[in-house]
Amino acid sequence: KTIMKKILIIAALKSEIGGLLQDRSCQLVSQWKKQSLFSLAGNRKMIYLGLTGVGKWNVRQFFNYFFKTRIKVDMIISTGYAGAIRMDLKVGQIILAEGIMDEIQKKYYRILVPPGYHNEFTILKGVCTPAVVFDKGKKILEKRYPGFSFVDMESGQVTDICRKNKIPLLIMRVISDGRNFKFPAMEFIRDSVKGINISSLIRGMINDPLTVGRIFLLRINLWKAKRSLSRALENIISGI
């Protein structure tokens, strides 16, 4: 009898797993407030896709809802964008986390990365923060946590939940902004993820002439990161 593996892939944003959501066999399982759960039948595996929303609170809410469905999974893959703390990390580079420092809980989590992935991906440690970290903040993190290479906002909470529920976890991140990348204002970061808002763009140009260039670069970065992440996810799924 063939045993079907059940895998849950989660991301904060739709663009981080967008390619999988566009599959014809993808079906909505549950819709909550900011969270959604989809299913995708594969070859000898059942894949669930979860949209958690951004940040610690939304991740916790997603899992509260998910566990109520009583769906049992063999593995969770947490995927998404991350900022580079290290200078040599490039936009679009795929990283698997071997450890996460949660700045909120002040706790370090060690994560076991299966040996088969070590030759295919870069294995590094990351920092989970409660808010978006800009270029100056990345420099502070580099000094505070020597040997840590990337930063995101969800990995700490995901790791904590998986650890408590004894669910195997793989954290995959793609670099979306380099160490010295200059972000536009926060409202334009949201626009770059969801789509350009013309009126806010005009206001930004008046306040800061460099806004347009920064938005343009951010959208290029996100496009590169999304494409790279989609390919890596397909490779991971096909090998499970």
Side-chain angles (χ1 to χ4, degrees):
K1 183 179 178 180
T2 301
I3 299 176
M4 179 172 282
K5 291 186 177 180
K6 294 182 179 180
I7 305 158
L8 171 62
I9 301 175
I10 60 172
L13 302 170
K14 187 175 181 179
S15 61
E16 294 168 333
I17 52 173
L20 294 174
L21 290 174
Q22 292 170 6
D23 191 289
R24 291 182 180 180
S25 64
C26 186
Q27 296 182 342
L28 179 66
V29 176
S30 295
Q31 179 79 57
W32 302 294
K33 293 180 180 179
K34 294 183 179 179
Q35 293 80 17
S36 304
L37 180 67
F38 301 84
S39 66
L40 181 66
N43 182 24
R44 290 185 297 179
K45 59 178 73 75
M46 172 61 77
I47 299 168
Y48 294 96
L49 306 173
L51 295 177
T52 66
V54 176
K56 172 183 177 180
W57 188 88
N58 282 322
V59 168
R60 183 171 291 278
Q61 281 294 98
F62 171 83
F63 277 103
N64 286 340
Y65 294 134
F66 178 75
F67 289 139
K68 288 179 182 178
T69 67
R70 299 189 180 278
I71 295 172
K72 302 293 184 181
V73 293
D74 302 299
M75 180 183 189
I76 291 178
I77 300 175
S78 171
T79 183
Y81 303 135
I85 296 176
R86 246 171 52 182
M87 288 290 291
D88 61 328
L89 294 181
K90 306 299 182 183
V91 171
Q93 186 169 348
I94 299 293
I95 294 167
L96 297 184
E98 63 177 349
I100 294 293
M101 179 66 203
D102 191 330
E103 272 233 308
I104 303 170
Q105 301 186 63
K106 302 299 181 184
K107 187 175 181 179
Y108 176 72
Y109 298 94
R110 183 175 177 270
I111 301 169
L112 180 63
V113 179
Y117 296 134
H118 283 253
N119 294 330
E120 189 175 354
F121 299 102
T122 304
I123 315 296
L124 298 171
K125 298 175 183 176
V127 181
C128 181
T129 59
V132 176
V133 177
F134 300 97
D135 53 327
K136 292 181 180 179
K138 292 175 185 176
K139 293 178 182 178
I140 293 173
L141 290 177
E142 184 181 36
K143 292 180 180 179
R144 187 180 297 166
Y145 303 110
F148 287 73
S149 305
F150 67 91
V151 57
D152 78 337
M153 294 171 56
E154 292 82 30
S155 58
Q157 189 64 37
V158 173
T159 306
D160 184 63
I161 291 171
C162 288
R163 186 71 56 86
K164 289 177 179 177
N165 290 276
K166 298 180 180 180
I167 304 173
L169 171 67
L170 186 69
I171 293 181
M172 174 182 283
R173 292 292 182 265
V174 61
I175 297 300
S176 58
D177 48 283
R179 160 66 183 276
N180 292 326
F181 181 78
K182 300 290 184 182
F183 279 97
M186 182 58 72
E187 62 181 299
F188 301 117
I189 297 176
R190 297 190 187 100
D191 285 347
S192 294
V193 172
K194 298 179 180 179
I196 293 295
N197 182 299
I198 299 301
S199 61
S200 63
L201 178 59
I202 293 173
R203 290 197 305 272
M205 290 172 61
I206 294 173
N207 295 330
D208 181 5
L210 295 177
T211 292
V212 175
R214 289 175 179 172
I215 292 174
F216 181 70
L217 288 175
L218 178 57
R219 288 180 69 84
I220 289 176
N221 283 2
L222 291 175
W223 176 79
K224 288 180 179 179
K226 178 182 176 180
R227 184 179 64 172
S228 181
L229 191 57
S230 178
R231 290 173 179 172
L233 270 175
E234 288 178 4
N235 289 338
I236 286 284
I237 293 170
S238 63
I240 292 175

